[in-house]
């Protein structure tokens, strides 16, 4: 086993209370993630107590976990690692009550035999989060603990304020970790490294050099068994408030005083405080053909499965620079990109037929897929006589480094950070309430939904929204294959 660098993992052993342990997210991401963290030594020691509505024995839960690992783990499960991990597992049904949960936690802590900390992960629907919080309070499991909450964090300003108020009746704000798996991805964190570690780019990261920014997360997936949930939520609440605005904050924030959670959270919140309220005229809502025929959907539903919007940040760095955000279901491609368009030169000395300007401005592009990729496009001279220019690009991929195997999956990174008490990649109550505040003009007067065909890029109105610019997707060029044939 590789030696884990000091300071990477938590200082103390952990007792993890996983509420919703038999649910889909737990099966797909959380249990495989905890297994990997424990197996490679990121966690000094741990005990994991599964909690859910299902009545099952601890042995039955262990069988459930093993099946989840065999099906969902992206890494081979070694038998000796499984046997060690299985011994750390226990299970308590919610039906058994708070007393049984407390007893299981105290038993787990006793077995660790040393000072430890508690991590409560609420992998439950929003309407069950508060009952889980109350149960943890009744079980007297608040001390030495942190609680991880899944989105959405309310559905508007009033509900977010009420939810935070109820949570704070049991847990202090510094104990609450509102998770956004987008920020757990290596490429999202690489934005901070790229901006603040390189003297080449930070001086031009402002309105004087950047024309506009796009954050584009189209999805090819439909809704599956989430349709009924989605009907009450829609693309804006599901994706923009909880994911895309968080990425925007990393893009737009000022340099923090230190690379530590409090400073970074404060700079993100400054961005949110500077955001101009979202106006309905700057939004295109869409709904894919066939959505209203899905089970559990209102035949006259006005819920959007697609949204594109323009937002502005009214501060010194970004005044006048539009940020365009787009996401939706059943679209042409599944991508996660940030694209920064630089201002074009004020005057061209090149002949009209040179090709300059025909392919738009230079772009810096971040791919937010699990393995980092970046691309910087620019005009360069075509070899040969005359002055003909083509759009070229410099590209980097994590595959090029040979370190792609070291990448932690998003949930693994965020679980580890929560155990360490590192709030850098988590959302604060102040931040989420401000985002709902700037969203209220849109939520109170949403524009009508426009129908779009599955497999398209959304309603045609998106082109008027971004004019005179153009959406970067589909790309004018493709990412280079890191493993070309014959290499």
């Amino acid at each position: 086993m590789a030696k884990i660098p000091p300071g990477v993992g938590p200082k103390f052993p952990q007792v993890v209370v996983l509420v919703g342990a038999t649910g889909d997210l737990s099966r797909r991401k959380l249990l495989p993630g905890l297994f990997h963290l424990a197996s490679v030594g990121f966690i000094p020691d741990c005990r994991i107590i599964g909690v859910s509505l299902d009545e099952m024995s601890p042995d039955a839960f262990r069988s459930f976990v093993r099946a989840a690992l065999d099906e969902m783990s992206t890494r081979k499960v070694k038998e000796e690692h499984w046997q060690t991990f299985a011994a750390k597992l226990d299970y308590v049904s919610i039906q058994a009550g708070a007393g049984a949960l407390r007893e299981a936690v105290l038993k787990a802590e006793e077995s660790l035999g040393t000072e430890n900390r508690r991590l409560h992960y609420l992998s439950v629907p929003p309407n069950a989060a508060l009952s889980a919080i109350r149960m943890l309070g009744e079980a007297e499991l608040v001390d030495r603990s942190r609680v991880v909450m899944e989105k959405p964090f309310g559905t508007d300003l009033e509900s977010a304020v009420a939810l935070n108020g109820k949570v704070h009746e049991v847990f202090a704000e510094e104990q609450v970790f509102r998770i956004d798996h987008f920020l757990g991805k290596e490429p999202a964190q690489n934005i901070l490294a790229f901006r603040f570690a390189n003297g080449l780019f930070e001086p031009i990261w402002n309105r004087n050099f950047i024309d506009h920014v796009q954050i584009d997360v189209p999805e090819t997936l439909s809704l599956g068994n989430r349709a009924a949930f989605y009907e009450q939520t829609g693309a804006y609440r599901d994706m923009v408030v909880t994911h895309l605005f968080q990425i925007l904050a990393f893009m737009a924030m000022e340099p923090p005083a230190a690379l530590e959670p409090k400073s970074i959270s404060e700079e993100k919140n400054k961005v949110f405080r500077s955001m101009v309220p979202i106006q309905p005229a700057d939004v295109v809502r869409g709904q894919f053909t066939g959505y209203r025929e899905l089970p559990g959907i209102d035949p006259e539903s006005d819920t959007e499965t697609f949204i594109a919007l323009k937002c502005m940040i009214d501060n010194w760095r970004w005044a006048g620079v539009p940020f365009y955000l787009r996401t939706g279901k059943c679209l042409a491609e599944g991508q996660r990109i940030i694209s920064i368009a630089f201002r074009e030169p004020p005057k061209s000395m090149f002949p009209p037929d040179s090709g300059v300007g025909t392919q738009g401005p230079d772009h810096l592009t971040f791919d937010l897929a699990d393995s980092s990729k970046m691309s910087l496009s620019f005009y360069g001279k075509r070899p040969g006589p005359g002055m003909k220019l083509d759009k070229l690009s410099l590209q980097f991929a994590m595959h090029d480094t040979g370190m792609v195997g070291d990448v932690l999956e998003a949930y693994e990174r965020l679980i580890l950070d929560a155990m360490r008490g590192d709030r850098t990649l988590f959302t604060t109550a102040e931040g989420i309430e401000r985002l709902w505040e700037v969203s209220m003009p849109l939520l109170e007067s949403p524009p009508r939904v426009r129908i779009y065909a599955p497999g398209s890029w959304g309603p045609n109105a998106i082109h008027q929204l971004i004019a005179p610019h153009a959406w970067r997707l589909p790309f004018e060029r493709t990412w280079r294959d890191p493993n070309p044939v014959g290499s």
Side-chain angles (χ1 to χ4, degrees):
M1 183 184 302
K3 183 176 175 60
I4 304 300
V8 172
K11 182 178 179 181
F12 299 103
Q14 303 285 313
V15 174
V16 180
V17 177
L18 180 54
V19 185
T22 59
D24 184 59
L25 176 63
S26 177
R27 186 177 63 88
R28 289 187 299 106
K29 295 293 185 181
L30 305 181
L31 291 167
L34 286 165
F35 173 75
H36 178 241
L37 293 174
S39 298
V40 300
F42 277 114
I43 307 171
D45 199 0
C46 69
R47 299 292 183 269
I48 299 167
I49 302 168
V51 179
S52 79
L53 290 168
D54 297 310
E55 293 281 359
M56 65 170 65
S57 67
D59 282 341
F61 180 60
R62 292 184 186 101
S63 297
F64 172 86
V65 175
R66 180 57 197 256
L69 296 181
D70 288 341
E71 182 182 359
M72 296 296 176
S73 179
T74 58
R75 307 170 179 95
K76 182 176 176 57
V77 178
K78 295 182 179 179
E79 188 60 30
E80 64 269 26
H81 290 167
W82 163 247
Q83 293 297 334
T84 301
F85 187 70
K88 303 176 187 295
L89 300 174
D90 197 1
Y91 183 83
V92 176
S93 170
I94 287 177
Q95 315 299 335
L101 177 57
R102 176 171 174 77
E103 185 179 332
V105 170
L106 294 179
K107 176 185 172 184
E109 292 180 333
E110 184 179 353
S111 72
L112 288 170
T114 184
E115 186 178 356
N116 58 78
R117 297 290 183 268
R118 301 160 178 166
L119 182 74
H120 309 308
Y121 197 117
L122 308 188
S123 178
V124 295
N127 58 5
L130 284 180
S131 62
I133 291 281
R134 285 191 291 268
M135 182 180 183
L136 293 169
E138 291 168 9
E140 300 178 358
L141 297 176
V142 176
D143 291 344
R144 296 180 289 105
S145 72
R146 300 177 178 116
V147 59
V148 179
M149 297 184 66
E150 283 282 343
K151 70 176 180 77
F153 314 114
T155 56
D156 55 22
L157 178 58
E158 182 180 3
S159 62
V161 170
L163 175 62
N164 286 328
K166 293 293 186 183
V167 170
H168 292 158
E169 290 177 3
V170 181
F171 290 94
E173 173 62 19
E174 57 267 22
Q175 293 178 284
V176 182
F177 290 71
R178 297 168 188 82
I179 197 167
D180 173 14
H181 72 272
F182 266 52
L183 294 188
K185 294 178 178 295
E186 286 284 347
Q189 299 161 59
N190 210 22
I191 294 169
L192 295 181
F194 190 87
R195 284 191 59 188
F196 301 130
N198 296 295
L200 177 62
F201 289 100
E202 180 55 25
I204 62 172
W205 209 268
N206 56 58
R207 60 186 173 83
N208 296 320
F209 298 93
I210 292 177
D211 184 77
H212 66 278
V213 177
Q214 295 180 34
I215 302 176
D216 212 349
V217 187
E219 298 180 283
T220 58
L221 300 174
S222 185
L223 294 168
N225 57 10
R226 295 183 71 229
F229 162 78
Y230 206 83
E231 173 70 358
Q232 306 302 316
T233 307
Y236 185 81
R237 289 179 171 92
D238 186 48
M239 288 290 292
V240 177
V241 176
T242 51
H243 293 324
L244 273 61
F245 281 159
Q246 303 299 323
I247 294 293
L248 181 150
F250 267 25
M251 281 292 306
M253 63 189 276
E254 295 296 320
L259 194 66
E260 56 91 22
K262 185 176 181 180
S263 293
I264 292 174
S265 291
E266 175 57 20
E267 294 305 334
K268 285 172 58 183
N269 286 341
K270 285 181 183 177
V271 173
F272 299 148
R273 290 196 291 269
S274 299
M275 286 176 62
V276 177
I278 307 299
Q279 300 302 316
D282 293 329
V283 177
V284 175
R285 297 168 69 236
Q287 187 185 92
F288 66 77
T289 304
Y291 171 77
R292 295 174 182 174
E293 282 73 57
L294 295 175
I297 301 302
D298 183 342
E300 298 182 1
S301 172
D302 188 54
T303 299
E304 79 279 357
T305 62
F306 169 97
I307 193 156
L309 64 139
K310 177 177 76 172
C311 72
M312 307 294 290
I313 300 172
D314 189 20
N315 64 16
W316 190 273
R317 182 181 291 260
W318 297 111
V321 177
F323 286 73
Y324 297 101
L325 282 57
R326 176 173 63 167
T327 188
K329 302 290 185 181
C330 290
L331 297 176
E333 292 180 23
Q335 295 274 4
R336 295 172 179 178
I337 71 155
I338 302 170
S339 189
I340 297 114
F342 292 101
R343 293 191 182 279
E344 297 190 69
K347 180 175 175 60
S348 175
M349 67 184 73
F350 297 95
D353 63 348
S354 66
V356 169
T358 58
Q359 296 185 53
D362 299 336
H363 284 88
L364 175 64
T365 303
F366 295 87
D367 186 337
L368 297 183
D370 285 323
S371 295
S372 298
K373 288 192 288 189
M374 290 181 286
S375 173
L376 178 63
S377 70
F378 57 93
Y379 283 104
K381 182 183 179 300
R382 187 185 305 169
M387 185 57 73
K388 298 290 186 181
L389 280 74
D390 290 325
K391 203 72 164 181
L392 309 174
S393 68
L394 299 172
Q395 295 187 8
F396 162 81
M398 187 61 72
H399 290 279
D400 299 336
T401 68
M403 294 187 293
V404 70
D406 296 335
V407 173
L408 287 178
E409 293 189 358
Y411 279 101
E412 295 173 351
R413 170 62 189 264
L414 292 168
I415 290 170
L416 197 62
D417 281 356
M419 288 178 173
R420 297 169 59 222
D422 185 338
R423 299 167 60 85
T424 302
L425 304 177
F426 295 86
T427 308
T428 66
E430 177 191 341
I432 200 69
E433 289 176 13
R434 172 58 183 167
L435 290 176
W436 285 122
E437 184 180 359
V438 302
S439 301
M440 291 314 294
L442 170 62
L443 298 179
E444 291 171 350
S445 302
R448 66 179 179 88
V449 293
R450 302 168 185 262
I451 303 301
Y452 65 95
S456 70
W457 285 101
N460 288 332
I462 62 172
H463 302 297
Q464 285 78 50
L465 174 70
I466 202 171
H469 315 299
W471 293 99
R472 293 288 328 279
L473 289 174
F475 275 138
E476 71 271 13
R477 74 187 65 77
T478 58
W479 293 99
R480 284 194 286 271
D481 186 351
N483 299 299
V485 176
S487 64

